[in-house]
Amino acid sequence: MGGAVPAPVSGAASGAASGAVSGTARRGRLRVADRVYERIAGHAVRVVLAEVWAGRSVKGAPPRVSVARPGSTVTVRVTLELPFPADLAGLARGVRDRVAAEVVGLTGTRVSEVVVVVEKLVAGGAW
């Protein structure tokens, strides 16, 4: 993940050894790599779209996910193909909500924005 995470130190030992150290300093920090956010978001997108693609003879390309971390938040950009006809707005909303919920739930990082870009509509198959 980018670096080693310091081992936890018990409260009594850390206070005695380092003097008056705040609770935050004892806990250390965790840095989540961008590729971890991307994988979490990609999985969330596939879960949302799995049902809508099921039973279709033609399927869209896998979603592409990129992230940016302005400060202590994460911004996720998802580029995807959607089936046509379908409720495009509803699918995009479902993707946005699921991505935000999974990133927050699994990493604890606040999501400032999820941008969903529909790159292509894929016709074909049963609906």
Side-chain angles (χ1 to χ4, degrees):
M1 270 197 216
V5 177
V9 179
S10 71
S14 66
S18 63
V21 177
S22 72
T24 304
R26 280 194 302 260
R27 288 192 306 257
R29 291 189 307 163
L30 173 66
R31 184 183 185 300
V32 178
D34 289 354
R35 70 180 177 273
V36 173
Y37 291 116
E38 290 168 0
R39 289 192 65 155
I40 291 169
H43 177 263
V45 172
R46 287 188 299 278
V47 167
V48 170
L49 298 181
E51 187 175 320
V52 76
W53 285 113
R56 290 183 174 257
S57 58
V58 180
K59 303 216 187 308
R64 291 188 317 274
V65 178
S66 61
V67 299
R69 288 188 296 168
S72 62
T73 65
V74 65
T75 298
V76 181
R77 180 182 174 93
V78 179
T79 304
L80 46 77
E81 297 180 1
L82 291 177
F84 183 81
D87 176 9
L88 304 178
L91 290 172
R93 187 174 32 259
V95 165
R96 187 180 63 237
D97 294 347
R98 179 77 182 237
V99 166
E102 292 223 1
V103 168
V104 170
L106 293 172
T107 67
T109 306
R110 189 172 70 82
V111 178
S112 57
E113 183 178 29
V114 178
V115 177
V116 178
V117 177
V118 179
E119 188 170 74
K120 182 178 176 184
L121 297 176
V122 180
W127 190 61

